[in-house]
Amino acid sequence: MAVAAPADLAAVLQTGDWAFVLGNWRVLLLGAVVTVVLMATSLTLGFLAGFPAGAVEAYGSGWTKELVSTAGVVLRGTPIVVLIVLFFFGIPVPKLGSVPVVDVRLSAFLAATLALGLRSGAYQSQVFRGAIQSIDEGQLEAARSVGLTHRQAVRHVIFPQAVRRSVPGFQNEFTIVLKDTSVAFAIGLAELLTRAENLYLQPGRDTAIMEVIIVISAVYFVLTFATNRTLDYLGDAFSIPEGSE
Amino acid sequence: MTDGEAVTDPTETRGSTIGSLPGRRRLVVVAVGSVFWTWLLARWAYHNTVLDWVATAFGTPDLVRAEQGVRGREGWIPAAPFEGAAEAVDGVAATLGPASALVDWLVWLFDLAAFATTTAPALAAGAFVTVYLTVVSMLLGLVIAVPLAVARIYGGRGLRSIALAYTELIRGTPLLAQLFFLYFGLPLAQIAESVGFTGQGPVPRAAAAVAVVGFTINSSAYQSEYIRSALQSVDPGQLTAARAVGLSELGGIRHVVLPQGLRFAIPGWTNEFVYLIKYSSLAAFITVPDLFRRARTIGSETFQFTDIYVIVGLFYLALVLTTALAMGRLERWVAIPGLGSASDRG
Amino acid sequence: MSLLEIEDVDKSYGDEEVLHDVSLAMDQRDVDVIVGPSGSGKSTLLRCVNRLTEVDDGAIYLDGEEIHGMDENDLRRRVGMVFQDFNLFAHRSALGNVTLGLTEVLELSETEAKSRAEEFLGRVGLADQADSYPSQLSGGQKQRVGIARALAMDPDLLLFDEPTSALDPELIGEVLAVMEDLAEGGMTMLCVTHEMGFARSAASTITFLDGGRIVERGPPEQLFETPEKERTRTFLGQLTDLNR
């Protein structure tokens, strides 16, 4: 991968390892962008899969429920790296080429999204199912007592409360998925960690390993921190007001 | 946030991997799991250096074969029948014409089984590394996690911030980056090698020692969070009562709070155990020949990537499910009547 | 024709017989109070009327129509229920609790639902708390919202399942006052309660249920002053003492 123009490289060679890292900030920034986008697509997929799956596990019956919960156990019981390589090698993805600027192979991105997303969905379904089941039976009875159908009661009374109660669990998923995007390293997806490795694998740059890793760790940390703070804020903004009785 | 100092979410826990297994599935796991473990233990014993030495001393040098290289090992179940079955079914499929998709799938299953029997010995060797990395790191992690949790709750300002910084830093960065930092960044591998981690005989290689360090540090941070929230759920009156009978603060923590709180922590702790089994696969990227790395090597030698990853996925599933089940039993075993386990508290 | 007729109702949970041959009839504007020791089947009887629980045997008629053959949602729209634990929708304001049924079941427009909900909150004295969430209300206020929620559906019959049992003593009065108002206004009410003061002043009939059977049923004066059964005298005596 072309990391920097030769002229830049020559300039960087004179200075220390820190300067080398800073000189390549563009590379790392692109990596961070890929990491964040991968996190976003995975969590979206995870939500789209996990929300109905949780509802099926809470209210379903028969083979649908069986199927959903078995798929959940398999997805939660397999290491993420195995899932990523399995989706990468096992699913016949058409040749998709790559995105020019960020230099991301779409097939790798798709495999990582599927693996991270479906696994996150398997965890999100647990969060959501638990939230549904934690809601007092009386809520459903009260809704039924005003004449709402079961479906209406679930939709207007159970789900809105369950979604709010799921927020802390979803928040965990954000940080877990964010950190696990680094495992896409296994299939060479050009996210933050892969790009970091590419940096110090350049000839004569092995002295900069420490510096590179410290910098990307800081980036991950800041991303985790920012994500958590944003979610805390959103959680407060959308929470049900509580009084001092 | 009550302490107002946590950077990431203080209650961050990793979701339960397995949850509760209903009756029928539980039976399947127990049955398949016991066969799997019997086979695994036999495999490990068969190639164990120490057992080989003992067997040789007793005059049966061929009973245990530790000298065999991992690649040279052969499966106990012959692959030929599965290959034969695959061929036979394939023959049938040819006559079926377009309706053969389902049959093709069956062929693949037989091929997979044949492939599994030939690769199983190498995977068993990898599983041994996976299991010891996990067990050793969990236990060492626990040794760090308990004082860390106690420091977070009862420590003075300085101690509290150090413990907080440690856990937040570790939990805020990816495990793989931590392993790279330790293995490629620090000269830890050379140090480990110089103190004797050379990979000779039963001694693990330097990379494995580095992996243990990495996993220990990582799991200690997560474990301490589980322990901290468990300790905080112990009624503060308990410590007051301990002080009232004349115990020192540390004595009260040691004899009253910890014995109760650590029991609350068990569900979280066992979940963490399962997580580490899965995440120990990242050791493959710092050259540790664990289960995943064995699979990767076989994949690049045979180009049967999908097949070997399906097989290794099943290996991990077996390890994870049996561990979860065994840990559930442990939970019930250490339970105190009247003291609800943490799972009761949601 | 009676508004509500309960005919020989039986109900068991497993081996345990909760209701045995229970029959009673209520006319419009009647206020029927059911009393009895815990486990006597009072709540089960109430829940049978709006089919939160289905009877094993016997029949229940609302306005002459057998409820088992009715659409259960339609039945529940016509029979309101007030719960011991309030069961207010935790994610909705007081107003939102009342409007949900109006918009989803009666299919009123948002504005219609809102003005109607405000009217009924006003009737229970909570016009100023419309925007409060359940966790911001006191127990007595919660229960009054619960009553407004049921009332706003314009039910033919209101069921009260121990509406004051979960309340602190000083909050009971405000709920009873609302119930007494309703009774005076002609609402048909079937109430499970231990509030003997309310029973004396508002009830048209008192039913004493024990062990799943009706022991005695009659106007308050009769049950309080000249009960037929000794058991009724003892039980009501204990309750009255407690209430004092």
Side-chain angles (χ1 to χ4, degrees):
Chain A
M1 184 195 320
V3 170
D8 293 344
L9 208 66
V12 167
L13 275 170
Q14 317 294 321
T15 52
D17 294 328
W18 285 109
F20 167 69
V21 179
L22 294 180
N24 283 294
W25 65 273
R26 243 177 248 274
V27 177
L28 295 180
L29 179 68
L30 281 181
V33 168
V34 174
T35 290
V36 169
V37 172
L38 178 58
M39 169 173 116
T41 53
S42 303
L43 282 168
T44 308
L45 174 62
F47 185 76
L48 293 179
F51 188 82
V56 167
E57 286 203 58
Y59 293 115
S61 61
W63 66 269
T64 16
K65 186 180 176 183
E66 194 90 338
L67 191 76
V68 166
S69 76
T70 306
V73 168
V74 170
L75 284 167
R76 291 190 301 272
T78 313
I80 186 63
V81 63
V82 175
L83 291 175
I84 288 180
V85 293
L86 253 181
F87 278 103
F88 187 62
F89 291 109
I91 290 193
V93 182
K95 278 266 168 274
L96 287 171
S98 56
V99 182
V101 184
V102 285
D103 191 30
V104 166
R105 271 184 304 157
L106 277 175
S107 58
F109 188 84
L110 193 67
T113 298
L114 282 173
L116 287 164
L118 291 179
R119 189 204 47 165
S120 177
Y123 279 105
Q124 288 185 34
S125 77
Q126 295 297 92
V127 170
F128 191 59
R129 189 202 59 175
I132 289 173
Q133 287 171 343
S134 76
I135 287 168
D136 189 63
E137 182 110 6
Q139 293 284 315
L140 191 67
E141 284 192 347
R144 299 299 307 257
S145 294
V146 251
L148 267 67
T149 64
H150 185 72
R151 189 179 282 271
Q152 283 176 318
V154 167
R155 171 157 171 249
H156 292 288
V157 175
I158 306 295
F159 277 2
Q161 296 185 53
V163 167
R164 283 187 178 83
R165 283 195 196 184
S166 304
V167 167
F170 286 154
Q171 191 157 346
N172 284 336
E173 273 307 303
F174 269 82
T175 54
I176 288 171
V177 170
L178 171 60
K179 284 179 273 178
D180 280 350
T181 53
S182 62
V183 181
F185 170 84
I187 52 171
L189 178 66
E191 45 66 66
L192 191 52
L193 188 68
T194 309
R195 280 178 203 257
E197 197 207 25
N198 288 339
L199 275 190
Y200 63 67
L201 283 184
Q202 293 170 58
R205 285 303 176 190
D206 52 349
T207 54
I209 296 178
M210 278 266 265
E211 290 80 359
V212 171
I213 295 183
I214 288 173
V215 167
I216 64 155
S217 296
V219 173
Y220 278 116
F221 188 80
V222 169
L223 286 176
T224 314
F225 179 84
T227 307
N228 269 318
R229 273 297 133 93
T230 313
L231 291 177
D232 279 344
Y233 172 77
L234 289 177
D236 287 346
F238 288 102
S239 71
I240 302 161
E242 270 186 58
S244 44
E245 213 183 279
Chain B
M1 257 174 247
T2 45
D3 49 2
E5 51 183 12
V7 177
T8 52
D9 183 2
T11 57
E12 179 185 323
T13 48
R14 294 158 155 178
S16 169
T17 302
I18 301 307
S20 61
L21 287 170
R24 190 149 46 82
R25 244 181 268 175
R26 191 185 187 85
L27 274 180
V28 173
V29 172
V30 169
V32 177
S34 20
V35 173
F36 174 75
W37 272 100
T38 311
W39 171 80
L40 205 55
L41 289 170
R43 262 290 162 194
W44 293 348
Y46 188 54
H47 298 289
N48 187 283
T49 321
V50 179
L51 287 181
D52 194 5
W53 182 79
V54 173
T56 311
F58 280 94
T60 51
D62 288 342
L63 185 65
V64 177
R65 307 288 300 274
E67 74 287 353
Q68 252 174 13
V70 171
R71 279 150 203 266
R73 293 173 189 173
E74 279 177 14
W76 288 333
I77 305 164
F82 297 107
E83 283 162 0
E87 242 168 81
V89 177
D90 204 18
V92 177
T95 64
L96 280 178
S100 63
L102 204 72
V103 184
D104 278 344
W105 201 72
L106 205 64
V107 174
W108 177 73
L109 268 188
F110 279 119
D111 277 335
L112 192 69
F115 191 50
T117 58
T118 53
T119 54
L123 293 180
F128 183 76
V129 177
T130 290
V131 169
Y132 87 60
L133 284 183
T134 308
V135 172
V136 171
S137 306
M138 270 312 277
L139 295 178
L140 291 179
L142 182 63
V143 172
I144 301 175
V146 173
L148 208 56
V150 171
R152 273 294 295 281
I153 305 175
Y154 303 103
R157 215 181 159 67
L159 209 53
R160 267 216 317 270
S161 352
I162 293 171
L164 177 75
Y166 176 86
T167 49
E168 293 308 311
L169 210 60
I170 301 301
R171 297 188 321 135
T173 53
L175 176 56
L176 196 53
Q178 291 163 13
L179 289 178
F180 278 19
F181 181 79
L182 294 173
Y183 188 73
F184 299 115
L186 291 177
L188 221 54
Q190 288 93 300
I191 296 171
E193 206 165 342
S194 68
V195 298
F197 286 100
T198 50
Q200 303 294 314
V203 181
R205 299 193 319 144
V210 176
V212 166
V213 172
F215 293 149
T216 299
I217 292 174
N218 187 271
S219 83
S220 71
Y222 284 97
Q223 289 186 56
S224 83
E225 282 304 286
Y226 284 115
I227 295 170
R228 183 176 66 93
S229 67
L231 293 187
Q232 280 174 335
S233 72
V234 174
D235 180 3
Q238 295 285 320
L239 187 57
T240 315
R243 299 298 302 272
V245 286
L247 266 71
S248 66
E249 167 139 33
L250 223 53
I253 294 170
R254 153 89 181 71
H255 292 287
V256 176
V257 178
L258 281 179
Q260 295 180 36
L262 289 182
R263 280 189 176 80
F264 289 143
I266 288 173
W269 193 79
T270 60
N271 199 37
E272 190 54 35
F273 204 123
V274 168
Y275 262 84
L276 195 54
I277 294 176
K278 292 186 289 171
Y279 279 100
S280 69
S281 55
L282 298 184
F285 297 102
I286 58 166
T287 76
V288 179
D290 75 331
L291 189 48
F292 183 68
R293 193 172 179 91
R294 291 282 179 203
R296 212 171 65 144
T297 311
I298 293 167
S300 45
E301 280 167 1
T302 60
F303 291 104
Q304 292 178 262
F305 286 107
T306 308
D307 295 354
I308 195 62
Y309 287 139
V310 167
I311 294 167
V312 83
L314 292 174
F315 261 72
Y316 275 110
L317 260 183
L319 289 176
V320 161
L321 289 174
T322 49
T323 307
L325 221 58
M327 289 292 172
R329 191 147 292 184
L330 176 79
E331 264 166 52
R332 282 193 297 281
W333 186 55
V334 298
I336 299 180
L339 261 187
S341 83
S343 52
D344 295 338
R345 300 172 304 138
Chain C
M1 183 174 42
S2 312
L3 176 72
L4 176 74
E5 235 182 299
I6 298 176
E7 246 181 45
D8 300 331
V9 160
D10 290 337
K11 176 72 194 176
S12 307
Y13 291 116
D15 289 340
E16 197 190 345
E17 195 173 46
V18 192
L19 294 175
H20 183 83
D21 265 351
V22 173
S23 301
L24 60 84
M26 286 177 74
D27 287 328
Q28 215 140 28
R29 306 176 74 91
D30 271 0
V31 175
D32 206 327
V33 168
I34 304 177
V35 295
S38 64
S40 58
K42 303 168 301 224
S43 291
T44 306
L45 181 60
L46 229 53
R47 297 164 67 91
C48 284
V49 173
N50 75 345
R51 286 179 57 198
L52 282 177
T53 303
E54 296 285 356
V55 300
D56 292 341
D57 203 8
I60 299 176
Y61 301 88
L62 183 70
D63 231 353
E65 197 179 346
E66 215 282 306
I67 64 164
H68 197 76
M70 292 167 67
D71 173 64
E72 59 180 4
N73 303 313
D74 192 41
L75 167 72
R76 288 172 186 158
R77 192 203 56 69
R78 292 170 58 191
V79 179
M81 186 159 196
V82 175
F83 298 87
Q84 179 176 356
D85 300 320
F86 328 126
N87 289 341
L88 293 192
F89 306 133
H91 64 303
R92 287 178 152 248
S93 63
L95 190 82
N97 263 273
V98 183
T99 54
L100 182 64
L102 301 177
T103 54
E104 297 304 318
V105 181
L106 300 185
E107 297 180 344
L108 300 187
S109 72
E110 291 285 338
T111 36
E112 280 176 304
K114 190 162 176 270
S115 68
R116 179 145 164 194
E118 276 164 351
E119 177 199 332
F120 280 92
L121 283 176
R123 213 190 275 187
V124 297
L126 287 174
D128 53 336
Q129 297 287 350
D131 295 327
S132 300
Y133 282 82
S135 55
Q136 298 170 313
L137 297 173
S138 74
Q141 291 172 324
K142 280 185 209 173
Q143 194 57 294
R144 285 189 280 154
V145 175
I147 294 171
R149 177 172 72 182
L151 216 50
M153 301 299 291
D154 189 24
D156 301 336
L157 166 70
L158 259 187
L159 308 173
F160 288 84
D161 188 4
E162 304 204 28
T164 55
S165 302
L167 295 177
D168 290 335
E170 73 274 18
L171 302 175
I172 290 176
E174 58 188 77
V175 173
L176 289 181
V178 169
M179 290 172 65
E180 275 162 12
D181 269 1
L182 284 178
E184 266 167 45
M187 187 75 217
T188 317
M189 295 156 66
L190 180 57
C191 316
V192 171
T193 180
H194 291 149
E195 294 302 329
M196 288 305 106
F198 171 79
R200 241 182 227 280
S201 64
S204 39
T205 315
I206 295 182
T207 308
F208 175 38
L209 204 64
D210 192 8
R213 290 157 201 262
I214 293 183
V215 177
E216 197 168 346
R217 175 174 161 78
E221 314 81 64
Q222 181 200 320
L223 263 80
F224 280 111
E225 314 305 338
T226 55
E228 289 170 11
K229 303 266 168 54
E230 189 51 37
R231 215 147 31 115
T232 314
R233 183 190 300 279
T234 324
F235 183 78
L236 288 179
Q238 282 167 349
L239 275 190
T240 317
D241 284 349
L242 275 179
N243 278 188
R244 218 159 256 153

